[in-house]
Amino acid sequence: ECDDPMASQQTTQVDADGSYEIELPTPGAWWMRVMGSSGHGEFLLEVPAAPEFTYDIALPEGQMSGRVVDAEGAALEGVDVSHVLVEGRAHRSPLRMADDRRATDADGAFEFTGLTPGTYRGGAEHAELGIAASVLVEVGDGSPAGVVVLTLRAGTRGRGSVVDADGAPVRYAPI
C-alpha cells in the first residue's frame, strides 16, 4: 500500500473526449492534480487493491475576481493578492503550486478560478504600497462571487527587538 502519496509521481494526458488512463504502481492514497484550459483541481484519490478502477472527475467551477486600488481609487499593478478557504472543503496537495496567489495586472485586476464552494478570505499586500483589509467572499459552484475591490492603505512601520527572559536576543523568530 502507498503510505506516502508523494513518494512517486505519475503523469498522463486527457484525451479529446475527456477520458484518461493512468498506471499506478501501488494502491493507496494518491494526489491527482488536473490542469486544463477550462479549469483545474486537486483530488485525494484512494486507489483500491484491484487490477482496475474508475475515478471520474468534475472540476470545481467557483470563481473570485476583483481589483486592487489605492485610497483614491486608482488601479494598482503588481500587488500580491491571495485567498484562503475558511469554511468549506477542499483537498490540498503537499506539492500545491502557488495558485492561491496572484499579482494584479495593469488594470489592478485579479482572478482565481477552479475554486470549490465555500467562504474564502481574500487580501492584498505590496511591500511599498501597504496592505488591504481582508474580505470574506462566498464562492458558489459555477457562479462568479462578484467583483471584490481591495483598497491598499499605506501603514506605518514598527521596529523593536525580541529578547528572552534573560535579555538575550531571540534570533530569527517570526513575528
Side-chain angles (χ1 to χ4, degrees):
E1 184 161 315
C2 180
D3 294 323
D4 181 2
M6 302 313 300
S8 176
Q9 293 186 21
Q10 305 293 321
T11 60
T12 192
Q13 187 76 33
V14 175
D15 293 334
D17 66 358
S19 65
Y20 73 93
E21 198 170 294
I22 190 165
E23 295 277 334
L24 298 173
T26 61
W30 287 85
W31 281 104
M32 182 173 284
R33 182 175 181 87
V34 180
M35 299 291 295
S37 59
S38 61
H40 63 277
E42 290 182 342
F43 310 89
L44 183 58
L45 171 63
E46 283 295 329
V47 176
E52 250 183 52
F53 68 96
T54 299
Y55 187 72
D56 294 325
I57 299 167
L59 295 177
E61 298 178 340
Q63 302 173 29
M64 179 180 12
S65 62
R67 292 183 69 229
V68 178
V69 298
D70 64 15
E72 286 76 41
L76 296 173
E77 181 177 9
V79 175
D80 187 31
V81 180
S82 62
H83 70 80
V84 63
L85 181 66
V86 294
E87 188 176 305
R89 184 166 184 235
H91 293 296
R92 305 235 3 177
S93 161
L95 290 182
R96 182 164 180 91
M97 298 169 128
D99 11 329
D100 53 359
R101 300 190 88 71
R102 298 273 188 285
T104 56
D105 66 15
D107 297 321
F110 65 90
E111 180 179 47
F112 297 100
T113 60
L115 301 178
T116 57
T119 303
Y120 290 79
R121 181 173 299 282
E125 64 180 304
H126 189 278
E128 297 167 3
L129 302 174
I131 61 172
S134 65
V135 296
L136 291 177
V137 180
E138 289 295 325
V139 173
D141 196 15
S143 58
V147 176
V148 176
V149 177
L150 298 169
T151 305
L152 286 189
R153 304 207 186 277
T156 184
R157 184 176 308 249
R159 297 181 194 272
S161 61
V162 178
V163 296
D164 64 17
D166 297 324
V170 176
R171 299 174 56 148
Y172 311 113
I175 296 180

